[in-house]
Amino acid sequence: MRVGTGYDVHKLAGGRKLILGGVEIPYEKGLSGHSDADVVVHAIMDALLGAAALRDIGYHFPDSDPAYQGVSSLKLLEKVGEMLEEKLYLVENIDATIVAQRPRLRPYLDQMAENVASVLHLESDQVNIKATTEEGLGFTGAMEGIAASAVCALSRALDSIEDDRMGKTCNGCGGCPPAR
């Protein structure tokens, strides 16, 4: 089992849509950033990449690359999922927390989790997204920005397959590597 964590922050700004978990949320401000600035999906991507030791989202999707200007973070998450599949990783679960004083996010959390699960081809009970406030404290409490953190667990597909090619015929010659 491999575990990864992710964290992201973006400033709130006028003239932008507020996108969280791939859901457009009605609000007078959105998050500033090169892509759609979806902090919760960014935190999830960093958690997944970290668990697989595949660096971070800035490495794979640099904000200096015009190809990612305004791109949906769910599209980037899909690419992260493909990277994990190439390395034969299975996502066991994802748990994410959004920190925002406003707007109230409860009505949108289930759709956010459903979006992430769908993009990564997961069951709905493998993704949990929740929200909290900082009781008016810090930059999120002052409504200057929104933060998100995520943790995930991965396993390797090959680790779940028993290798019994030797069966009961092993002579104990010592030529096989020790079992993991």
Side-chain angles (χ1 to χ4, degrees):
M1 172 104 31
R2 298 172 70 107
V3 176
T5 63
Y7 180 77
D8 196 34
V9 172
H10 284 276
K11 291 180 187 179
L12 282 164
R16 298 270 304 193
K17 292 179 181 179
L18 179 59
I19 309 291
L20 294 170
V23 177
E24 185 175 334
I25 298 168
Y27 193 59
E28 67 263 13
K29 293 181 178 181
L31 294 170
S32 65
H34 188 67
S35 66
D36 64 5
D38 188 332
V39 292
V40 67
V41 173
H42 292 182
I44 289 168
M45 287 191 295
D46 265 343
L48 293 167
L49 290 167
L54 293 173
R55 301 188 184 224
D56 60 30
I57 62 173
Y59 177 82
H60 294 283
F61 314 109
D63 62 7
S64 58
D65 188 335
Y68 304 119
Q69 179 71 39
V71 71
S72 165
S73 294
L74 289 178
K75 292 286 185 196
L76 302 180
L77 179 61
E78 185 175 28
K79 291 182 181 187
V80 169
E82 291 168 2
M83 288 181 224
L84 296 175
E85 286 176 12
E86 286 175 19
K87 299 286 185 180
L88 301 177
Y89 284 112
L90 301 171
V91 178
E92 296 294 333
N93 78 305
I94 297 168
D95 184 36
T97 303
I98 304 167
V99 183
Q101 194 66 35
R102 286 199 178 85
R104 294 292 180 198
L105 300 175
R106 176 66 230 135
Y108 310 101
L109 297 175
D110 291 341
Q111 183 63 55
M112 291 179 204
E114 191 175 305
N115 290 346
V116 170
S118 176
V119 166
L120 294 173
H121 312 291
L122 302 174
E123 298 297 322
S124 60
D125 67 351
Q126 291 178 274
V127 179
N128 186 58
I129 299 179
K130 54 198 178 291
T132 191
T133 70
E134 288 186 317
E135 303 293 330
L137 300 173
F139 73 91
T140 64
M143 294 180 285
E144 296 171 3
I146 295 178
S149 63
V151 63
C152 74
L154 302 180
S155 61
R156 281 197 182 261
L158 297 179
D159 290 347
S160 64
I161 300 170
E162 288 194 35
D163 187 355
D164 64 351
R165 288 177 285 180
M166 294 301 289
K168 305 229 187 251
T169 62
C170 180
N171 293 330
C173 69
C176 296
R180 285 198 204 194

